[in-house]
Amino acid sequence: MSELMHLIYSSAATQQFDRDALVHLLDRARKTNSELNISGMLLYIDGSFLQVLEGAPDQVEALFDRISGDPRHSTVVRIISEPIAKRTFSDWSMGFAEVSADDLNEVDGLNDFFTGQACFSELGPGRTKKLLHAFKSGRWRSRIEGVLPKAPPSSASEHPEPASPGVSASPPPGTPGLDALPVSFAFQPIFDVTSHTISSYEAIVCDEAGGSADAVLSSYTSTEQSGLLQRELHLRAVALAAKLGLQTGLTLKYAARGVEEADQLMSATLEIARSHGFSNNQVTLEIDQRELVGDSSWFASVIQKQRGLGLRFSIDHFGDARSGLSLIDAYQPDSVALNKNLVANIETHGTRQAIVRGVIQTCQDLGIDLIAKYVETEAEVAWFRSEGVDLFQGTVIAPPTFEALLPDVRYSGPVAA
Amino acid sequence: MIALPPFSFAFQPIYDMASGQIVSQEALVRGPAGESAYSVLSQLTAPGIYQFDERLRAAAIRLAAEIGGPEALHLNLNLMPRSLEVSPSALASTLETAQNCGLSPESITIEITESEIIHDIEGFVAVANEYRGTGIQYAIDDFGAGYAGLYLLAEFQPDALKLDRQLVAGIERDGPRQAIVRGVLRTCEDLGIDVIAEGVETEAEFSWFRSEGVDLFQGYLLARPGFEQLPGVAIPGTSARPTPVVAQLPMAA
Ligand SMILES: Cc1cc2nc3c(=O)[nH]c(=O)nc-3n(C[C@H](O)[C@H](O)[C@H](O)COP(=O)(O)O)c2cc1C
């Protein structure tokens, strides 16, 4: 079996690349690559590179490492790396779009892939050719402008707002025992960069000291208990949010897996919210997509009905191991939050980028908000901004704050897409 | 050795509008007189079925090579759930049969359903990549039907994916499905993955996919599966009729 792979990446030039600079780069590359028995090509258009490297896996990876560290470009995104049966390029070549074909003829090894076409159409079919085609039609070009926030303005100030008056309409307490449950909540903003406002706070359950609630909650596992627990948690979260003077949306997790009384449970939550002075549309139930697998047409109809009553829905962890596109069709949520595995280091992961672009496209077409959740770095935020995503939730924007609503977030990047 | 039920094959073409050629024929198991796949497969139970699966692919290759000659033949062959896990040599033996019939690995595409892959994704990717070096290709079947979809593409990028019939049926008047398919098309274009609209039955479905730039089609509208023959296609919107038996098969890669 042959030991060959190809690696295709895109990147953005950090400096002007005129013809001389490219020729210089090519000279160097040509020499090294033939020594390493690496074939492929390099394309340059409008400040973006796309390079194909073919050869023995060790050599290709090592060269890619070296190239990645080259300061003449940045935002290096690995798009494909996989074994191949044979090379697409017998040699090393290079092409670019701006320079005229005449210019190129003078330089040995330079081909104009785009205007000359000869080389491009001679390429055998396969993913390389398809990718070059995608690049040609504008994909994989660098679009990230500035990186985002400069200064973190937020001190985790607790600002006691007047508690909401008379919680007299407080619904009957939950089950005995549950009302003594030692839990509380932290709140994490979901931030809209276009309007520079916090669109919602997600209530995250914790123990009474702000630590993990896992130990406290681990004993409520049966289906019956999880329904009661769910109700109690919503009751507490809404009450605390009201006490803290929450004016924005409130996002509550819904995790009562398999509870048949989902309908009543959701109605109760809406009722609790109303009794605390919150309006329709202010409450979003965030459903873990793992709750949605299996035959859940009854659940879909519950959600449709509840949406009609004013609740909003979000699907969380979208894109994890059991994610189905069919979920979007079946549930048509108001928003979708991407799973962490699609978000982490997205600025360097071509496959994740391609997948997320597809999800963005689908969501845009359906008027579903996409939330870039779990963002931890500025580079991740910058990438999502460059794709027109407006809603963010994650530690880099604002961490959860215990029993407090963070008044502002860390974002001073570009506002309009 | 387990007694195996008698079987044969029908073949259904996959057609590329861009090149105007049939790029592959998918082998579909049938009873000896053309009975349904179910009539054959329902006679099998667990351990035997994987052995049978290997033999099916071998028999499909031989039959197709006999009908059409190996020269321009490209075949899409199905891999049953859990075959690779139970018998990691399944692909090696398929390639060996292909070679004996004069077919290169490049002219074989293995179809796997997404639910199958997700079941043991690491194991699958390891085996699949091991054989990629031979030139064999992979297509994910029934894409969009199960729960795997996106996550799967993050871990493994096939050469092609076939949209599930559920997404295709009546797409011209179903907004959410259109939005989903546009998303899939976007992702696949960016990753250099071909998209095949499978189970296309009406001109309206066909036109919708054409308007979104899809080139590859398989379905009753273009050609019904032909029992023990390699059918030609009727291209929608033209008067071209399928030729009953096509001995000559233009091939893509
Ligand atoms: C977009 C781009 C593509 C490059 N491609 C190659 C290449 O294919 N082969 C190569 O040897 N160097 C290539 N280089 C240059 C390498 O990054 C590096 O400068 C060169 O290998 C010398 O490395 P060294 O200074 O560690 O010896 C490329 C640089 C850039 C910016």
Side-chain angles (χ1 to χ4, degrees), chain A residues 9 11 17 25 28-30 32-33 42 49 51 53 63 66-68 70 72-73 92:
Chain A
Y9 74 85
S11 68
F17 266 90
L25 207 166
R28 176 75 219 235
R30 181 174 266 297
T32 325
N33 294 6
L42 177 68
F49 288 110
Q51 185 166 23
L53 300 168
L63 178 61
R66 213 162 73 206
I67 297 173
S68 300
D70 195 315
R72 288 172 288 179
H73 62 173
W92 178 257

Side-chain angles (χ1 to χ4, degrees), chain A residues 1-2 79-80 82-86 125 127 130-131 134 137 139-140 293-294 318-326 329 332 341 350-351 354-355 357-359 361-362 365-366, chain B residues 106 118 129-135 143-151 153-154 157-159 174-177 179-180 182-184 186-187 189-194 252-253:
Chain A
M1 208 159 293
S2 58
I79 303 172
I80 294 185
E82 66 192 7
I84 48 170
K86 55 173 188 263
R127 292 184 68 203
K130 291 175 208 157
L131 268 182
S137 57
R139 300 291 165 77
W140 296 115
V293 300
F318 191 76
D320 92 341
R322 316 212 64 204
S323 159
L325 292 161
S326 47
D329 192 9
Q332 307 217 9
N341 69 344
T351 331
I355 291 167
R357 283 201 203 99
V359 177
Q361 168 87 56
T362 299
D365 278 10
L366 290 174
Chain B
E106 282 91 353
I118 209 72
N129 274 337
E130 190 189 326
Y131 285 92
R132 239 188 184 149
T134 65
F143 188 86
Y147 302 111
L150 302 169
Y151 175 77
L153 290 184
Q157 299 93 46
D159 299 278
D174 190 317
R177 283 182 204 163
I180 288 166
R182 276 198 209 103
V184 174
R186 177 77 217 256
T187 296
E189 186 186 345
D190 279 7
L191 291 176
I193 296 171
D194 282 333

Side-chain angles (χ1 to χ4, degrees), chain A residues 135-152:
Chain A
F135 187 68
K136 188 179 159 191
S137 57
R139 300 291 165 77
W140 296 115
R141 308 282 180 84
S142 175
R143 273 192 283 158
I144 298 176
E145 273 142 43
V147 191
L148 82 144
K150 291 167 223 119

Side-chain angles (χ1 to χ4, degrees), chain A residues 34-47:
Chain A
S34 68
E35 275 163 19
L36 296 172
N37 204 7
I38 287 176
S39 53
M41 68 166 313
L42 177 68
L43 290 176
Y44 177 77
I45 303 179
D46 287 342

Side-chain angles (χ1 to χ4, degrees), chain A residues 6 49 59 72 110 210:
Chain A
H6 64 180
F49 288 110
Q59 309 277 27
R72 288 172 288 179
L110 290 188

